[in-house]
Amino acid sequence: MKQQHNCENCPVHHKENLIRLGIAMDRVDYVIALAGNPNTGKSTVFNNLTGLRQHTGNWPGKTVTRAEGGYSFADKRYKVVDLPGTYSLLSTSTDEEVARNFILFGRPDVTVIVVDATRLERNLNLALQILEITDRAVLCLNLMDEARRNHIEIDERALSRELGIPVIPTAARQKEGMPELIAAIEEVASGKFVCKPHKIKSRSLKLNHAIKSLSIKLEQQFPGLPNLNWVALRLLEGDQAIIEAVRTGELGQLKPADFSIPV
């Protein structure tokens, strides 16, 4: 769905959180996260977007490698952060925790979900989890050359309607579809394209009531915390990482804080 851009809603990233997560934010208009399962060609997409304008390091307090780079498009500067390849965001590993925390608390302006077109059904599990956290995303339908070789046909327009986000077919190794991907990122980042992503609607009334009650308590303890319902659901499911973050107060430290950070 196209809609007039509302400048008040953009950018949506939390600069303080991103700095806390180790991301340099000087002269950046938009922050883009690259997410996806391992072996989807995500690194090739990252290299195509950023070229030689990239560097690597570690996430703060982690041994997980962080790669980031940048590019310019339509007079705007884009910071691209390549998240660890993961199969889910349920935080059963350090990689999953890093990816989840970046999307949840850093709130990138756009999350590009790179999927393998030859294994779409398996890859959509992560995509749907990401769309529970953010409504600003683009699906990069990568490895389309392999899909064609295997006589796999995908109706990307129907998929886009079902997911509620742009779906861009690419073959990153051949740089096929990259201009279209960059254009879609710009449309979502600027607000020209308003995403209306798929949300799970099959929860019971009892579960919805529990989520709402817990969300109210979370808001009282951590004012301004984003994605309250999602955090509440993780707590109800017994997510130990989120439970520990609530117990120690770390959850509050990852939200917009009441302190000044030089930028």
Side-chain angles (χ1 to χ4, degrees), residues 44 47-48 170-180:
T44 306
N47 291 333
N48 284 347
T170 66
R173 284 174 297 195
Q174 287 76 38
K175 295 184 169 53
E176 177 186 324
M178 297 310 297
E180 291 80 3

Side-chain angles (χ1 to χ4, degrees), residues 173-227:
R173 284 174 297 195
Q174 287 76 38
K175 295 184 169 53
E176 177 186 324
M178 297 310 297
E180 291 80 3
L181 178 62
I182 290 171
I185 291 171
E186 187 274 335
E187 288 204 329
V188 174
S190 66
K192 294 174 186 174
F193 188 109
V194 178
C195 300
K196 293 191 173 181
H198 169 88
K199 300 288 185 181
I200 296 173
K201 299 178 181 178
S202 58
R203 298 186 183 119
S204 67
L205 291 176
K206 188 175 181 180
L207 178 56
N208 283 331
H209 177 73
I211 291 172
K212 184 176 181 180
S213 299
L214 190 51
S215 295
I216 292 172
K217 294 179 180 178
L218 284 168
E219 173 63 25
Q220 292 170 349
Q221 186 171 354
F222 306 111
L225 183 72
N227 297 288

Side-chain angles (χ1 to χ4, degrees), residues 98-228:
V98 165
R100 181 179 75 177
N101 283 353
F102 188 82
I103 298 171
L104 180 61
F105 299 113
R107 297 182 69 190
D109 297 289
V110 183
T111 298
V112 177
I113 310 164
V114 183
V115 300
D116 180 349
T118 69
R119 296 174 174 83
L120 184 57
E121 184 176 356
R122 186 175 71 179
N123 284 206
L124 283 178
N125 178 52
L126 177 66
L128 293 175
Q129 289 183 27
I130 290 172
L131 293 179
E132 284 291 306
I133 299 178
T134 179
D135 59 359
R136 301 169 68 92
V138 174
L139 192 79
C140 175
L141 194 59
N142 197 31
L143 301 175
M144 285 298 294
D145 51 334
E146 295 287 339
R148 288 191 293 268
R149 194 171 296 119
N150 287 283
H151 308 291
I152 297 172
E153 295 184 4
I154 299 173
D155 186 340
E156 65 267 17
R157 291 187 178 181
L159 184 59
S160 177
R161 286 194 300 270
E162 288 295 321
L163 293 176
I165 62 174
V167 173
I168 309 298
T170 66
R173 284 174 297 195
Q174 287 76 38
K175 295 184 169 53
E176 177 186 324
M178 297 310 297
E180 291 80 3
L181 178 62
I182 290 171
I185 291 171
E186 187 274 335
E187 288 204 329
V188 174
S190 66
K192 294 174 186 174
F193 188 109
V194 178
C195 300
K196 293 191 173 181
H198 169 88
K199 300 288 185 181
I200 296 173
K201 299 178 181 178
S202 58
R203 298 186 183 119
S204 67
L205 291 176
K206 188 175 181 180
L207 178 56
N208 283 331
H209 177 73
I211 291 172
K212 184 176 181 180
S213 299
L214 190 51
S215 295
I216 292 172
K217 294 179 180 178
L218 284 168
E219 173 63 25
Q220 292 170 349
Q221 186 171 354
F222 306 111
L225 183 72
N227 297 288
L228 284 168

Side-chain angles (χ1 to χ4, degrees), residues 70-94:
Y71 68 92
S72 298
F73 180 75
D75 297 322
K76 297 293 184 181
R77 292 176 179 267
Y78 292 76
K79 169 88 70 177
V80 185
V81 180
D82 189 13
L83 300 179
T86 60
Y87 292 104
S88 81
L89 296 181
L90 299 181
S91 194
T92 57
S93 70
T94 304

Side-chain angles (χ1 to χ4, degrees), residues 22-40:
I23 306 301
M25 290 299 295
D26 53 311
R27 296 168 62 191
V28 173
D29 295 300
Y30 300 117
V31 176
I32 312 303
L34 279 187
N37 289 181
N39 304 314
T40 57

Side-chain angles (χ1 to χ4, degrees), residues 235-247:
L235 288 172
L236 290 168
E237 291 181 344
D239 188 312
Q240 289 302 314
I242 293 290
I243 290 171
E244 185 67 12
V246 171
R247 189 185 66 79

